[in-house]
């Protein structure tokens, strides 16, 4: 869908509504993929979907209705349904009126090379990996997905914005035939020319070979080298947990006694800096968030101090603050070390490739639990000396940030349709609670 087409649909819906407020969003996405497993391609396909969501409001009563067709009859019926639902709905005590026209950051998140990436090109990534795995007697499974998305928002108060974006991602797991070793690697980018698929395949295969026949290390607290993927696994929802309302209501780590929060407090070491920037060329984010609020470059933690918390429009009004939108991405400023430097500086410790099956344990401390996976290794005298069995961990990203000893340069980590810039970390006193026989 083009912006002109979306504008025509938008105007058609507006003229057919009698609601006090009307909000319209359109999402048009096309994704193409190839999947391989057991060293052979298993599926290949393309999916395309367009959805239109119409939200009508009378007073403080709101109703929403969605369709995926945009002929005149369907759109007229959709507006009618949204208005009927609004009249039936109870009043929303936290209702906020629609935003007037906003100014959004110019964000470059589209690549013609990614859009034109062909089925043969996707298959060539799989073919190369399968060949490399076969030469090393490993079994590879992976997924290559490219996508193009168009998004639009608008309302009857003059707000209108649209954006195009592209993305490609690739991940692969390489396992030994005896099932004792497994390696993983992955990556993604807006621009396919910056996706280093050969390096991703090679890393997964090397880890698969190196992780064969792991030994046991007793659970406990260890110095760990967390690769950037593992750090991102723990920080994935951190930005959304930096929420003023949950803090003010005493429901989060950022709460203080008496209904206060940790804004302005030195919580982390001075070298910890966490920001978001939707216009960052290496990890572009969406130009708008909830209600159409413009996203912006935001310092969340600056030199260890909590500088910002997310304020929804309702909570900002209630507290007499300015609204602060949720982060469009997460950027953890790193250091100048390499992953190899982190390893070589460690007398005894554990290298973690990534985590999986992560679940919350305690929101007040942000304690999480989960498992290591696809490459866990024992480090001694600055060298990786042997693979070890996987662990269950019980740890908080708060403790992780407080216990950083060394950081690498940040790299792009794909997180679904979004991306973060995250360094690998050397962290002391990381808690492993038990062993796991899973590979």
């Amino acid at each position: 869908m083009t912006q002109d087409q979306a504008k025509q649909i938008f105007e058609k819906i507006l003229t057919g509504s009698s609601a006090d407020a009307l909000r319209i969003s359109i999402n048009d996405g096309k994704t193409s993929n190839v999947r391989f497993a057991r060293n052979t391609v298993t599926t290949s396909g393309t999916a395309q979907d367009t959805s239109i969501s119409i939200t009508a409001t009378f007073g403080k009563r709101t109703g929403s209705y969605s369709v995926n067709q945009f002929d005149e009859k369907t759109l007229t019926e959709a507006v009618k349904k949204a208005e009927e639902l609004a009249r039936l709905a109870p009043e929303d005590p936290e209702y906020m009126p629609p935003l007037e026209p906003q100014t959004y950051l110019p964000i470059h998140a589209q690549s013609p090379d990614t859009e034109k990436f062909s089925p043969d090109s996707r298959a060539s990534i799989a073919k190369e990996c399968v060949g490399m795995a076969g030469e090393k007697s490993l079994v590879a499974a992976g997924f290559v997905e490219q996508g193009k998305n168009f998004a639009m928002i608008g309302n009857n108060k003059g707000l209108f914005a649209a954006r195009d974006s592209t993305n490609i991602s690739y991940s692969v797991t390489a396992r030994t035939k005896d099932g004792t070793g497994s390696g993983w690697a992955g990556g993604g980018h807006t621009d396919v020319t910056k996706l280093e698929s050969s390096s991703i395949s090679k890393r997964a295969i090397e880890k698969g070979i190196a992780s064969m026949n792991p030994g046991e290390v007793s659970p406990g607290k260890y110095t760990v080298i967390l690769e950037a993927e593992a750090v991102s696994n723990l920080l994935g929802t951190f930005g959304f947990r930096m929420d003023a309302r949950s803090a003010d209501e005493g429901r989060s780590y950022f709460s203080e006694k008496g209904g206060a929060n940790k804004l302005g407090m030195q919580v982390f070491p001075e070298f910890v800096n966490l920001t978001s920037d939707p216009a960052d060329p290496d990890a572009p984010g969406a130009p708008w968030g909830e209600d159409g609020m413009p996203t912006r470059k935001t310092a969340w933690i600056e030199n260890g101090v909590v500088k910002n918390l997310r304020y929804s429009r309702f909570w900002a009004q209630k507290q007499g603050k300015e609204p602060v939108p949720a982060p469009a991405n997460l950027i953890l400023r790193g250091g100048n070390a390499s992953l190899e430097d982190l390893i070589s500086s460690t007398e005894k410790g554990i290298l973690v490739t990534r985590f999986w099956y992560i679940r919350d344990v305690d929101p007040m401390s942000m304690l999480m639990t989960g498992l290591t996976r696809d490459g866990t290794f024992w480090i001694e005298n600055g060298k990786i000396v042997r693979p070890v069995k996987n662990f269950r961990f019980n740890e908080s990203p708060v403790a992780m940030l407080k216990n950083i000893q060394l950081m690498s340069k940040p790299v792009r980590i794909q997180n679904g349709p979004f991306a973060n810039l995250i360094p690998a970390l050397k962290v002391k006193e990381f808690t492993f609670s038990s062993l796991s026989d899973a590979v």
Side-chain angles (χ1 to χ4, degrees), residues 61-79:
R61 302 176 187 273
T62 296
S64 295
Y65 197 79
S66 296
V67 294
N68 58 6
Q69 298 182 126
F70 24 89
D71 58 275
E72 190 166 347
K73 181 181 177 181
T74 299
L75 295 177
T76 300
E77 185 67 17
V79 171

mmCIF file with all atom_site columns, all heavy atoms in Angstrom, residues 61-79:
data_model
loop_
_atom_site.group_PDB
_atom_site.id
_atom_site.type_symbol
_atom_site.label_atom_id
_atom_site.label_alt_id
_atom_site.label_comp_id
_atom_site.label_asym_id
_atom_site.label_entity_id
_atom_site.label_seq_id
_atom_site.pdbx_PDB_ins_code
_atom_site.Cartn_x
_atom_site.Cartn_y
_atom_site.Cartn_z
_atom_site.occupancy
_atom_site.B_iso_or_equiv
_atom_site.pdbx_formal_charge
_atom_site.auth_seq_id
_atom_site.auth_comp_id
_atom_site.auth_asym_id
_atom_site.auth_atom_id
_atom_site.pdbx_PDB_model_num
ATOM 1   N N   . ARG A 1 61 ? -16.988 6.909   25.808 1.00 0.00 ? 61 ARG A N   1
ATOM 2   C CA  . ARG A 1 61 ? -17.311 5.524   25.442 1.00 0.00 ? 61 ARG A CA  1
ATOM 3   C C   . ARG A 1 61 ? -16.647 5.201   24.102 1.00 0.00 ? 61 ARG A C   1
ATOM 4   O O   . ARG A 1 61 ? -16.852 5.915   23.118 1.00 0.00 ? 61 ARG A O   1
ATOM 5   C CB  . ARG A 1 61 ? -18.823 5.335   25.349 1.00 0.00 ? 61 ARG A CB  1
ATOM 6   C CG  . ARG A 1 61 ? -19.563 5.672   26.642 1.00 0.00 ? 61 ARG A CG  1
ATOM 7   C CD  . ARG A 1 61 ? -21.072 5.561   26.444 1.00 0.00 ? 61 ARG A CD  1
ATOM 8   N NE  . ARG A 1 61 ? -21.797 6.030   27.609 1.00 0.00 ? 61 ARG A NE  1
ATOM 9   C CZ  . ARG A 1 61 ? -22.105 5.262   28.655 1.00 0.00 ? 61 ARG A CZ  1
ATOM 10  N NH1 . ARG A 1 61 ? -21.768 3.979   28.647 1.00 0.00 ? 61 ARG A NH1 1
ATOM 11  N NH2 . ARG A 1 61 ? -22.758 5.767   29.681 1.00 0.00 ? 61 ARG A NH2 1
ATOM 12  N N   . THR A 1 62 ? -15.882 4.126   24.095 1.00 0.00 ? 62 THR A N   1
ATOM 13  C CA  . THR A 1 62 ? -15.071 3.813   22.921 1.00 0.00 ? 62 THR A CA  1
ATOM 14  C C   . THR A 1 62 ? -15.310 2.386   22.449 1.00 0.00 ? 62 THR A C   1
ATOM 15  O O   . THR A 1 62 ? -15.431 1.464   23.260 1.00 0.00 ? 62 THR A O   1
ATOM 16  C CB  . THR A 1 62 ? -13.576 4.002   23.246 1.00 0.00 ? 62 THR A CB  1
ATOM 17  O OG1 . THR A 1 62 ? -13.344 5.386   23.550 1.00 0.00 ? 62 THR A OG1 1
ATOM 18  C CG2 . THR A 1 62 ? -12.701 3.610   22.071 1.00 0.00 ? 62 THR A CG2 1
ATOM 19  N N   . GLY A 1 63 ? -15.349 2.208   21.137 1.00 0.00 ? 63 GLY A N   1
ATOM 20  C CA  . GLY A 1 63 ? -15.451 0.881   20.541 1.00 0.00 ? 63 GLY A CA  1
ATOM 21  C C   . GLY A 1 63 ? -14.540 0.764   19.337 1.00 0.00 ? 63 GLY A C   1
ATOM 22  O O   . GLY A 1 63 ? -14.319 1.751   18.614 1.00 0.00 ? 63 GLY A O   1
ATOM 23  N N   . SER A 1 64 ? -14.009 -0.424  19.117 1.00 0.00 ? 64 SER A N   1
ATOM 24  C CA  . SER A 1 64 ? -13.092 -0.651  17.993 1.00 0.00 ? 64 SER A CA  1
ATOM 25  C C   . SER A 1 64 ? -13.567 -1.817  17.139 1.00 0.00 ? 64 SER A C   1
ATOM 26  O O   . SER A 1 64 ? -14.154 -2.783  17.645 1.00 0.00 ? 64 SER A O   1
ATOM 27  C CB  . SER A 1 64 ? -11.673 -0.933  18.498 1.00 0.00 ? 64 SER A CB  1
ATOM 28  O OG  . SER A 1 64 ? -11.135 0.187   19.155 1.00 0.00 ? 64 SER A OG  1
ATOM 29  N N   . TYR A 1 65 ? -13.273 -1.720  15.849 1.00 0.00 ? 65 TYR A N   1
ATOM 30  C CA  . TYR A 1 65 ? -13.647 -2.777  14.913 1.00 0.00 ? 65 TYR A CA  1
ATOM 31  C C   . TYR A 1 65 ? -12.568 -2.846  13.835 1.00 0.00 ? 65 TYR A C   1
ATOM 32  O O   . TYR A 1 65 ? -12.075 -1.812  13.371 1.00 0.00 ? 65 TYR A O   1
ATOM 33  C CB  . TYR A 1 65 ? -15.010 -2.472  14.275 1.00 0.00 ? 65 TYR A CB  1
ATOM 34  C CG  . TYR A 1 65 ? -15.661 -3.666  13.622 1.00 0.00 ? 65 TYR A CG  1
ATOM 35  C CD1 . TYR A 1 65 ? -16.322 -4.626  14.379 1.00 0.00 ? 65 TYR A CD1 1
ATOM 36  C CD2 . TYR A 1 65 ? -15.629 -3.822  12.235 1.00 0.00 ? 65 TYR A CD2 1
ATOM 37  C CE1 . TYR A 1 65 ? -16.931 -5.717  13.785 1.00 0.00 ? 65 TYR A CE1 1
ATOM 38  C CE2 . TYR A 1 65 ? -16.233 -4.919  11.629 1.00 0.00 ? 65 TYR A CE2 1
ATOM 39  C CZ  . TYR A 1 65 ? -16.889 -5.858  12.413 1.00 0.00 ? 65 TYR A CZ  1
ATOM 40  O OH  . TYR A 1 65 ? -17.492 -6.949  11.817 1.00 0.00 ? 65 TYR A OH  1
ATOM 41  N N   . SER A 1 66 ? -12.192 -4.065  13.456 1.00 0.00 ? 66 SER A N   1
ATOM 42  C CA  . SER A 1 66 ? -11.118 -4.240  12.473 1.00 0.00 ? 66 SER A CA  1
ATOM 43  C C   . SER A 1 66 ? -11.604 -5.062  11.286 1.00 0.00 ? 66 SER A C   1
ATOM 44  O O   . SER A 1 66 ? -12.408 -5.992  11.443 1.00 0.00 ? 66 SER A O   1
ATOM 45  C CB  . SER A 1 66 ? -9.916  -4.942  13.109 1.00 0.00 ? 66 SER A CB  1
ATOM 46  O OG  . SER A 1 66 ? -9.361  -4.142  14.128 1.00 0.00 ? 66 SER A OG  1
ATOM 47  N N   . VAL A 1 67 ? -11.101 -4.733  10.101 1.00 0.00 ? 67 VAL A N   1
ATOM 48  C CA  . VAL A 1 67 ? -11.404 -5.480  8.880  1.00 0.00 ? 67 VAL A CA  1
ATOM 49  C C   . VAL A 1 67 ? -10.126 -5.596  8.055  1.00 0.00 ? 67 VAL A C   1
ATOM 50  O O   . VAL A 1 67 ? -9.148  -4.889  8.290  1.00 0.00 ? 67 VAL A O   1
ATOM 51  C CB  . VAL A 1 67 ? -12.494 -4.767  8.035  1.00 0.00 ? 67 VAL A CB  1
ATOM 52  C CG1 . VAL A 1 67 ? -13.825 -4.768  8.763  1.00 0.00 ? 67 VAL A CG1 1
ATOM 53  C CG2 . VAL A 1 67 ? -12.074 -3.329  7.691  1.00 0.00 ? 67 VAL A CG2 1
ATOM 54  N N   . ASN A 1 68 ? -10.149 -6.522  7.084  1.00 0.00 ? 68 ASN A N   1
ATOM 55  C CA  . ASN A 1 68 ? -9.000  -6.629  6.180  1.00 0.00 ? 68 ASN A CA  1
ATOM 56  C C   . ASN A 1 68 ? -9.423  -6.524  4.720  1.00 0.00 ? 68 ASN A C   1
ATOM 57  O O   . ASN A 1 68 ? -8.763  -7.025  3.829  1.00 0.00 ? 68 ASN A O   1
ATOM 58  C CB  . ASN A 1 68 ? -8.212  -7.916  6.432  1.00 0.00 ? 68 ASN A CB  1
ATOM 59  C CG  . ASN A 1 68 ? -9.064  -9.156  6.282  1.00 0.00 ? 68 ASN A CG  1
ATOM 60  O OD1 . ASN A 1 68 ? -10.227 -9.078  5.886  1.00 0.00 ? 68 ASN A OD1 1
ATOM 61  N ND2 . ASN A 1 68 ? -8.491  -10.304 6.594  1.00 0.00 ? 68 ASN A ND2 1
ATOM 62  N N   . GLN A 1 69 ? -10.536 -5.863  4.504  1.00 0.00 ? 69 GLN A N   1
ATOM 63  C CA  . GLN A 1 69 ? -10.965 -5.484  3.158  1.00 0.00 ? 69 GLN A CA  1
ATOM 64  C C   . GLN A 1 69 ? -11.266 -3.983  3.165  1.00 0.00 ? 69 GLN A C   1
ATOM 65  O O   . GLN A 1 69 ? -11.612 -3.436  4.209  1.00 0.00 ? 69 GLN A O   1
ATOM 66  C CB  . GLN A 1 69 ? -12.220 -6.244  2.739  1.00 0.00 ? 69 GLN A CB  1
ATOM 67  C CG  . GLN A 1 69 ? -12.023 -7.741  2.663  1.00 0.00 ? 69 GLN A CG  1
ATOM 68  C CD  . GLN A 1 69 ? -13.283 -8.458  2.207  1.00 0.00 ? 69 GLN A CD  1
ATOM 69  O OE1 . GLN A 1 69 ? -13.263 -9.213  1.258  1.00 0.00 ? 69 GLN A OE1 1
ATOM 70  N NE2 . GLN A 1 69 ? -14.387 -8.225  2.887  1.00 0.00 ? 69 GLN A NE2 1
ATOM 71  N N   . PHE A 1 70 ? -11.137 -3.327  2.013  1.00 0.00 ? 70 PHE A N   1
ATOM 72  C CA  . PHE A 1 70 ? -11.358 -1.886  2.010  1.00 0.00 ? 70 PHE A CA  1
ATOM 73  C C   . PHE A 1 70 ? -12.223 -1.419  0.862  1.00 0.00 ? 70 PHE A C   1
ATOM 74  O O   . PHE A 1 70 ? -12.042 -0.327  0.328  1.00 0.00 ? 70 PHE A O   1
ATOM 75  C CB  . PHE A 1 70 ? -10.028 -1.103  2.041  1.00 0.00 ? 70 PHE A CB  1
ATOM 76  C CG  . PHE A 1 70 ? -8.841  -1.842  1.508  1.00 0.00 ? 70 PHE A CG  1
ATOM 77  C CD1 . PHE A 1 70 ? -8.513  -1.795  0.161  1.00 0.00 ? 70 PHE A CD1 1
ATOM 78  C CD2 . PHE A 1 70 ? -8.061  -2.608  2.360  1.00 0.00 ? 70 PHE A CD2 1
ATOM 79  C CE1 . PHE A 1 70 ? -7.410  -2.492  -0.317 1.00 0.00 ? 70 PHE A CE1 1
ATOM 80  C CE2 . PHE A 1 70 ? -6.962  -3.300  1.882  1.00 0.00 ? 70 PHE A CE2 1
ATOM 81  C CZ  . PHE A 1 70 ? -6.636  -3.240  0.555  1.00 0.00 ? 70 PHE A CZ  1
ATOM 82  N N   . ASP A 1 71 ? -13.184 -2.256  0.460  1.00 0.00 ? 71 ASP A N   1
ATOM 83  C CA  . ASP A 1 71 ? -14.206 -1.777  -0.450 1.00 0.00 ? 71 ASP A CA  1
ATOM 84  C C   . ASP A 1 71 ? -15.171 -0.889  0.337  1.00 0.00 ? 71 ASP A C   1
ATOM 85  O O   . ASP A 1 71 ? -15.232 -0.932  1.573  1.00 0.00 ? 71 ASP A O   1
ATOM 86  C CB  . ASP A 1 71 ? -14.957 -2.942  -1.085 1.00 0.00 ? 71 ASP A CB  1
ATOM 87  C CG  . ASP A 1 71 ? -15.610 -3.840  -0.052 1.00 0.00 ? 71 ASP A CG  1
ATOM 88  O OD1 . ASP A 1 71 ? -14.903 -4.744  0.468  1.00 0.00 ? 71 ASP A OD1 1
ATOM 89  O OD2 . ASP A 1 71 ? -16.783 -3.621  0.271  1.00 0.00 ? 71 ASP A OD2 1
ATOM 90  N N   . GLU A 1 72 ? -15.922 -0.079  -0.373 1.00 0.00 ? 72 GLU A N   1
ATOM 91  C CA  . GLU A 1 72 ? -16.768 0.922   0.280  1.00 0.00 ? 72 GLU A CA  1
ATOM 92  C C   . GLU A 1 72 ? -17.797 0.292   1.220  1.00 0.00 ? 72 GLU A C   1
ATOM 93  O O   . GLU A 1 72 ? -18.036 0.801   2.327  1.00 0.00 ? 72 GLU A O   1
ATOM 94  C CB  . GLU A 1 72 ? -17.468 1.778   -0.781 1.00 0.00 ? 72 GLU A CB  1
ATOM 95  C CG  . GLU A 1 72 ? -18.173 2.983   -0.192 1.00 0.00 ? 72 GLU A CG  1
ATOM 96  C CD  . GLU A 1 72 ? -18.558 3.996   -1.247 1.00 0.00 ? 72 GLU A CD  1
ATOM 97  O OE1 . GLU A 1 72 ? -18.069 3.883   -2.400 1.00 0.00 ? 72 GLU A OE1 1
ATOM 98  O OE2 . GLU A 1 72 ? -19.336 4.907   -0.924 1.00 0.00 ? 72 GLU A OE2 1
ATOM 99  N N   . LYS A 1 73 ? -18.398 -0.818  0.824  1.00 0.00 ? 73 LYS A N   1
ATOM 100 C CA  . LYS A 1 73 ? -19.406 -1.464  1.651  1.00 0.00 ? 73 LYS A CA  1
ATOM 101 C C   . LYS A 1 73 ? -18.809 -1.950  2.970  1.00 0.00 ? 73 LYS A C   1
ATOM 102 O O   . LYS A 1 73 ? -19.394 -1.756  4.048  1.00 0.00 ? 73 LYS A O   1
ATOM 103 C CB  . LYS A 1 73 ? -20.024 -2.635  0.895  1.00 0.00 ? 73 LYS A CB  1
ATOM 104 C CG  . LYS A 1 73 ? -21.111 -3.356  1.675  1.00 0.00 ? 73 LYS A CG  1
ATOM 105 C CD  . LYS A 1 73 ? -21.680 -4.525  0.872  1.00 0.00 ? 73 LYS A CD  1
ATOM 106 C CE  . LYS A 1 73 ? -22.726 -5.287  1.694  1.00 0.00 ? 73 LYS A CE  1
ATOM 107 N NZ  . LYS A 1 73 ? -23.277 -6.447  0.942  1.00 0.00 ? 73 LYS A NZ  1
ATOM 108 N N   . THR A 1 74 ? -17.631 -2.580  2.883  1.00 0.00 ? 74 THR A N   1
ATOM 109 C CA  . THR A 1 74 ? -16.980 -3.108  4.095  1.00 0.00 ? 74 THR A CA  1
ATOM 110 C C   . THR A 1 74 ? -16.596 -1.979  5.042  1.00 0.00 ? 74 THR A C   1
ATOM 111 O O   . THR A 1 74 ? -16.800 -2.076  6.261  1.00 0.00 ? 74 THR A O   1
ATOM 112 C CB  . THR A 1 74 ? -15.729 -3.933  3.718  1.00 0.00 ? 74 THR A CB  1
ATOM 113 O OG1 . THR A 1 74 ? -16.126 -5.031  2.899  1.00 0.00 ? 74 THR A OG1 1
ATOM 114 C CG2 . THR A 1 74 ? -15.038 -4.465  4.962  1.00 0.00 ? 74 THR A CG2 1
ATOM 115 N N   . LEU A 1 75 ? -16.044 -0.904  4.496  1.00 0.00 ? 75 LEU A N   1
ATOM 116 C CA  . LEU A 1 75 ? -15.621 0.209   5.341  1.00 0.00 ? 75 LEU A CA  1
ATOM 117 C C   . LEU A 1 75 ? -16.815 0.894   6.004  1.00 0.00 ? 75 LEU A C   1
ATOM 118 O O   . LEU A 1 75 ? -16.756 1.262   7.181  1.00 0.00 ? 75 LEU A O   1
ATOM 119 C CB  . LEU A 1 75 ? -14.827 1.225   4.521  1.00 0.00 ? 75 LEU A CB  1
ATOM 120 C CG  . LEU A 1 75 ? -13.486 0.740   3.957  1.00 0.00 ? 75 LEU A CG  1
ATOM 121 C CD1 . LEU A 1 75 ? -12.840 1.834   3.109  1.00 0.00 ? 75 LEU A CD1 1
ATOM 122 C CD2 . LEU A 1 75 ? -12.545 0.298   5.076  1.00 0.00 ? 75 LEU A CD2 1
ATOM 123 N N   . THR A 1 76 ? -17.905 1.043   5.265  1.00 0.00 ? 76 THR A N   1
ATOM 124 C CA  . THR A 1 76 ? -19.119 1.648   5.831  1.00 0.00 ? 76 THR A CA  1
ATOM 125 C C   . THR A 1 76 ? -19.646 0.795   6.981  1.00 0.00 ? 76 THR A C   1
ATOM 126 O O   . THR A 1 76 ? -20.023 1.303   8.047  1.00 0.00 ? 76 THR A O   1
ATOM 127 C CB  . THR A 1 76 ? -20.200 1.799   4.749  1.00 0.00 ? 76 THR A CB  1
ATOM 128 O OG1 . THR A 1 76 ? -19.707 2.642   3.706  1.00 0.00 ? 76 THR A OG1 1
ATOM 129 C CG2 . THR A 1 76 ? -21.471 2.400   5.326  1.00 0.00 ? 76 THR A CG2 1
ATOM 130 N N   . GLU A 1 77 ? -19.653 -0.526  6.781  1.00 0.00 ? 77 GLU A N   1
ATOM 131 C CA  . GLU A 1 77 ? -20.123 -1.436  7.824  1.00 0.00 ? 77 GLU A CA  1
ATOM 132 C C   . GLU A 1 77 ? -19.183 -1.416  9.032  1.00 0.00 ? 77 GLU A C   1
ATOM 133 O O   . GLU A 1 77 ? -19.629 -1.474  10.185 1.00 0.00 ? 77 GLU A O   1
ATOM 134 C CB  . GLU A 1 77 ? -20.207 -2.856  7.260  1.00 0.00 ? 77 GLU A CB  1
ATOM 135 C CG  . GLU A 1 77 ? -20.796 -3.887  8.207  1.00 0.00 ? 77 GLU A CG  1
ATOM 136 C CD  . GLU A 1 77 ? -22.265 -3.663  8.499  1.00 0.00 ? 77 GLU A CD  1
ATOM 137 O OE1 . GLU A 1 77 ? -22.931 -2.925  7.757  1.00 0.00 ? 77 GLU A OE1 1
ATOM 138 O OE2 . GLU A 1 77 ? -22.752 -4.244  9.491  1.00 0.00 ? 77 GLU A OE2 1
ATOM 139 N N   . ALA A 1 78 ? -17.879 -1.298  8.796  1.00 0.00 ? 78 ALA A N   1
ATOM 140 C CA  . ALA A 1 78 ? -16.910 -1.276  9.889  1.00 0.00 ? 78 ALA A CA  1
ATOM 141 C C   . ALA A 1 78 ? -17.090 -0.039  10.765 1.00 0.00 ? 78 ALA A C   1
ATOM 142 O O   . ALA A 1 78 ? -17.029 -0.114  12.001 1.00 0.00 ? 78 ALA A O   1
ATOM 143 C CB  . ALA A 1 78 ? -15.491 -1.327  9.338  1.00 0.00 ? 78 ALA A CB  1
ATOM 144 N N   . VAL A 1 79 ? -17.307 1.115   10.139 1.00 0.00 ? 79 VAL A N   1
ATOM 145 C CA  . VAL A 1 79 ? -17.551 2.340   10.900 1.00 0.00 ? 79 VAL A CA  1
ATOM 146 C C   . VAL A 1 79 ? -18.817 2.182   11.744 1.00 0.00 ? 79 VAL A C   1
ATOM 147 O O   . VAL A 1 79 ? -18.858 2.544   12.929 1.00 0.00 ? 79 VAL A O   1
ATOM 148 C CB  . VAL A 1 79 ? -17.671 3.555   9.954  1.00 0.00 ? 79 VAL A CB  1
ATOM 149 C CG1 . VAL A 1 79 ? -18.133 4.784   10.734 1.00 0.00 ? 79 VAL A CG1 1
ATOM 150 C CG2 . VAL A 1 79 ? -16.339 3.832   9.268  1.00 0.00 ? 79 VAL A CG2 1
#
